[in-house]
Amino acid sequence: MSTQEPPGTQERLVRSTQELLWERGYVGTSPKAILERAGVGQGSMYHHFSGKSALALAAIRRTAEELKRAAAECLDASGTAYERVAAYLLRERQVLRGCPIGRMTQDRDVVQSAELRRPLDEMFHWLRERITEVLTEGQRRGELAAALDPAATAATVAAVVQGGYVLARAADDTAPFDAAVEGVLALLAAQVPTAG
């Protein structure tokens, strides 16, 4: 009974809020801007959501799930631990727009709300845990040096990505992001035992 019709009002509201939060942050995203972007009337938002905070929470959760799926595609793929982490680091990103989840951590209203902050915490926790698992698996298979600390390295990988976004945005150039990724990949490559 599924028909190919345009996204419903609720979906348009969530998508529009995702885009606006990425562009403007929470404080800069007004209900009016959301309604204009979604192309819906004022009553529509309050029909589906109790207010801006509830809609923002749905949008942040959706964005976190989308980023998690994109990261999992790389980290759950076949290949060595190094190749999988490299795929995650090198995947296509809109670097100059910054990370849509990292962007939310810079918004005071978001970090002061336990409810709005929770999807951010969960996403970053999942990412560090998943990279830790990949690196630990790589150690077990002899792909990485036994002295490598998987948890600390996973935290470093996550921090390099987030810091790379900030440096790239500050410079209005992707080069700092690319350099940071190259640097962490070189450090990780040094942990790959050489044959013979």
Side-chain angles (χ1 to χ4, degrees), residues 156-170:
T156 301
V157 168
V160 162
V161 170
Q162 291 305 311
Y165 278 125
V166 171
L167 295 174
R169 284 175 59 96

Side-chain angles (χ1 to χ4, degrees), residues 34-55:
I34 294 168
L35 296 173
E36 286 175 3
R37 178 76 58 102
V40 301
Q42 189 169 357
S44 300
M45 183 167 114
Y46 298 101
H47 173 73
H48 294 286
F49 300 95
S50 60
K52 176 183 167 181
S53 180
L55 178 51

Side-chain angles (χ1 to χ4, degrees), residues 160-185:
V160 162
V161 170
Q162 291 305 311
Y165 278 125
V166 171
L167 295 174
R169 284 175 59 96
D172 195 28
D173 185 351
T174 60
F177 182 95
D178 297 338
V181 166
E182 285 173 30
V184 79
L185 284 174

Side-chain angles (χ1 to χ4, degrees), residues 15-183:
R15 281 271 163 225
S16 298
T17 304
Q18 284 183 274
E19 293 166 12
L20 286 164
L21 288 173
W22 195 5
E23 290 167 19
R24 304 176 183 184
Y26 182 81
V27 173
T29 298
S30 68
K32 182 181 179 196
I34 294 168
L35 296 173
E36 286 175 3
R37 178 76 58 102
V40 301
Q42 189 169 357
S44 300
M45 183 167 114
Y46 298 101
H47 173 73
H48 294 286
F49 300 95
S50 60
K52 176 183 167 181
S53 180
L55 178 51
L57 180 60
I60 292 168
R61 281 188 180 140
R62 169 85 62 84
T63 299
E65 283 304 312
E66 289 171 354
L67 289 178
K68 190 174 169 180
R69 272 196 303 276
E73 276 181 31
C74 302
L75 298 170
D76 299 347
S78 58
T80 65
Y82 174 86
E83 290 165 345
R84 291 154 66 194
V85 172
Y88 165 70
L89 285 164
L90 296 169
R91 77 175 180 79
E92 195 171 317
R93 291 177 166 85
Q94 295 181 52
V95 173
L96 293 180
R97 285 190 75 189
C99 175
I101 288 295
R103 169 88 171 82
M104 294 294 93
T105 66
Q106 298 166 34
D107 209 310
R108 190 175 57 83
D109 288 27
V110 172
V111 295
Q112 288 183 343
S113 162
E115 189 177 34
L116 291 175
R117 195 179 63 243
R118 189 170 300 114
L120 314 178
D121 292 340
E122 290 170 355
M123 167 59 199
F124 287 126
H125 177 78
W126 173 86
L127 181 63
R128 288 189 307 271
E129 287 295 308
R130 188 66 193 106
I131 295 171
T132 299
E133 290 166 5
V134 169
L135 296 173
T136 301
E137 186 183 313
Q139 277 182 319
R140 272 198 312 269
R141 296 194 307 210
E143 300 165 359
L144 295 168
L148 178 83
D149 181 334
T153 304
T156 301
V157 168
V160 162
V161 170
Q162 291 305 311
Y165 278 125
V166 171
L167 295 174
R169 284 175 59 96
D172 195 28
D173 185 351
T174 60
F177 182 95
D178 297 338
V181 166
E182 285 173 30

